[in-house]
Amino acid sequence: MSLAITRRSFAALAGAALALAGLAGAPALAAPPTEIRVDWATYSPVSIVLKDKKFLEEEFAKDGIAIRWVQSAGSNKALEFLNAGSLDFGSTAGAAALVGRINGNPIKSIYVYSRPEWTALVTRKDSGITKVSDLKGKSVAVTRGTDPHIFLIRALAANGLTDKDVRFVLLQHADGRLALTRGDVDAWAGLDPIMASAELEDGAVLFFRDPAANSWGVLNVREAFAQENPEIVKRVLAAYEKARKWAVENPKELAVLLEGATKLPAPVIARQLERTGLTYGPIGDAQKDTIIAAGKALQDAGVVAATVDVPATVNVLIDSRYLPPGS
């Protein structure tokens, strides 16, 4: 009997030791962050509402978590900040997020902040450029890694041209508008609201438009942040959804907020909002289809390697698990 008890005791002690060893080897739970770093951008009206109304600050005050706001001047800057870890949440175009993911940027697209027609090809009214094929041999200002850049590549390819047939002048969006106005370039791949300002204030001409080739405005999160803080990500999206609904319900107040944030006059903001749909939020199949189409077009143009599985990459990129209930 005593031998049986001894064996049972030994087994129990051995099991306990193994369990403790397993706990010791398991990764420690990540401590909650002391701040959440979120971007705002003039091309994302919902982000401006969120910042102004302090919905995130109210949500996380009880946790002692601060909100740090960082301006993104374009999808390329948001992706840079996310990749560097200086942003937790960043606003980009869906196609730009895909290119970032293909290039190794560990992000997830988790929310839709707009369905915009925010880019077109723009020129001066006296340039003589009236169609995409007229760009052959011309100079075009463009911000690499953004929806306008992807839009330009697709437009050229659809008209039998490549980036070798034009001279790309790499500038941030605001500088591209200035270069066009000064005559330093022949055309510009524009982005609202700067594009609307050039249209109304400079007499710039949007000579090529294709709303379907504008990819969705998506909110991205650093994958590591989402893995460590899934509940926080859900709460951030709930605040975003609150801001989006406020924007839809208060169009006049939204316009005033955008005027203040962008320092642009009311007619320019009105033009931007005419081209910006805010009646979305959840991310899913519709966004996948649009982003896959953009990725395949870039692949056909030789910008994305033929070896990349675009649909599989989009499936990894888009993650709807963090959406608030009922969104």
Side-chain angles (χ1 to χ4, degrees):
M1 175 68 73
S2 62
L3 182 60
I5 293 172
T6 301
R7 284 176 176 166
R8 285 197 294 270
S9 300
F10 178 79
L13 288 169
L18 287 171
L20 287 170
L23 285 173
L29 292 174
T34 57
E35 69 174 9
I36 301 170
R37 297 159 299 180
V38 186
D39 79 341
W40 68 276
T42 60
Y43 52 84
S44 172
V46 175
S47 71
I48 292 172
V49 172
L50 190 65
K51 181 175 182 288
D52 182 81
K53 297 300 177 185
K54 300 188 181 300
F55 292 151
L56 283 174
E57 286 83 351
E58 292 172 4
E59 172 64 27
F60 290 100
K62 58 184 176 292
D63 304 281
I65 298 175
I67 306 299
R68 179 152 65 90
W69 291 97
V70 178
Q71 184 177 7
S72 291
S75 292
N76 62 323
K77 290 301 180 184
L79 289 167
E80 283 178 25
F81 296 154
L82 286 162
N83 202 31
S86 54
L87 268 182
D88 301 312
F89 297 87
S91 313
T92 73
L98 171 62
V99 173
R101 183 83 202 193
I102 289 169
N103 290 333
N105 197 334
I107 57 172
K108 292 283 191 177
S109 297
I110 56 174
Y111 183 78
V112 173
Y113 60 80
S114 71
R115 175 53 161 140
E117 186 199 357
W118 52 16
T119 186
L121 301 186
V122 188
T123 191
R124 295 181 307 281
K125 59 186 176 183
D126 60 352
S127 72
I129 296 171
T130 61
K131 54 187 181 298
V132 176
S133 59
D134 292 336
L135 292 176
K136 187 170 185 177
K138 304 292 187 181
S139 58
V140 185
V142 63
T143 308
R144 188 184 294 280
T146 65
D147 222 29
H149 177 218
I150 295 165
F151 183 86
L152 172 60
I153 292 288
R154 294 178 70 180
L156 291 173
N159 287 271
L161 301 176
T162 73
D163 56 354
K164 305 294 189 298
D165 294 305
V166 300
R167 182 169 65 88
F168 283 11
V169 179
L170 302 180
L171 297 168
Q172 278 299 135
H173 300 297
D175 295 327
R177 180 256 182 107
L178 183 59
L180 178 69
T181 303
R182 290 191 309 213
D184 297 339
V185 295
D186 300 301
W188 167 49
L191 181 75
D192 270 341
I194 303 166
M195 182 171 71
S197 181
E199 185 182 10
L200 296 178
E201 297 177 345
D202 305 340
V205 178
L206 279 55
F207 70 93
F208 179 74
R209 298 172 66 175
D210 183 359
N214 286 243
S215 64
W216 300 81
V218 299
L219 182 70
N220 307 285
V221 64
R222 288 192 301 110
E223 193 168 15
F225 184 93
Q227 289 172 346
E228 294 170 0
N229 306 285
E231 293 306 313
I232 286 179
V233 175
K234 291 177 183 178
R235 290 165 66 187
V236 168
L237 290 198
Y240 246 94
E241 184 65 357
K242 184 176 179 180
R244 185 192 65 78
K245 289 179 177 177
W246 185 95
V248 171
E249 293 165 1
N250 300 276
K252 292 180 180 178
E253 293 87 343
L254 171 64
V256 171
L257 284 184
L258 294 186
E259 289 165 33
T262 63
K263 307 297 188 247
L264 293 171
V268 170
I269 296 304
R271 183 64 57 88
Q272 176 191 8
L273 291 175
E274 285 174 14
R275 299 194 278 244
T276 305
L278 300 176
T279 56
Y280 299 88
I283 194 165
D285 288 343
Q287 291 71 41
K288 285 183 181 180
D289 291 345
T290 300
I291 297 170
I292 287 171
K296 288 184 174 178
L298 292 175
Q299 211 164 38
D300 291 342
V303 175
V304 170
T307 54
V308 173
D309 187 335
V310 171
T313 306
V314 173
N315 282 332
V316 171
L317 173 68
I318 292 181
D319 193 338
S320 60
R321 81 181 80 175
Y322 304 105
L323 293 168
S327 63

